[in-house]
Amino acid sequence: MYKLFAVMCFLVNGAVECTEYNDSYQKIYEDLAKCEKDAEARFYGLTGIFYEYGQPYERIVIGCREHFD
């Protein structure tokens, strides 16, 4: 089983700071391909919003990792 995660890095006072986030929906995927499809959609949705509002970022990674009960 898999769940989404995100790592977002921004320039703060001249230094890159990264924060890891767990999926706020807490959805658990049985299929890695479905998880990766949702991760891709979230990545492009999020970066599109940042672009539209002129919010710079250093790095954004949204992906899937194994989830253990």
Side-chain angles (χ1 to χ4, degrees):
M1 296 200 288
Y2 303 90
K3 64 186 278 183
L4 288 169
F5 73 92
V7 176
M8 293 192 271
C9 302
F10 299 92
L11 192 59
V12 178
N13 296 324
V16 176
E17 292 188 15
C18 299
T19 303
E20 184 171 332
Y21 299 91
N22 286 314
D23 179 37
S24 61
Y25 295 115
Q26 296 296 316
K27 183 172 181 180
I28 305 300
Y29 298 84
E30 290 188 27
D31 181 8
L32 179 59
K34 174 63 175 154
C35 183
E36 289 176 339
K37 183 178 177 183
D38 283 359
E40 180 180 14
R42 287 205 187 171
F43 174 82
Y44 287 112
L46 183 63
T47 56
I49 290 169
F50 283 169
Y51 175 78
E52 191 161 322
Y53 286 95
Q55 173 62 50
Y57 59 88
E58 291 295 313
R59 182 173 178 221
I60 295 177
V61 176
I62 299 176
C64 302
R65 67 167 50 123
E66 284 192 80
H67 173 74
F68 302 100
D69 288 326

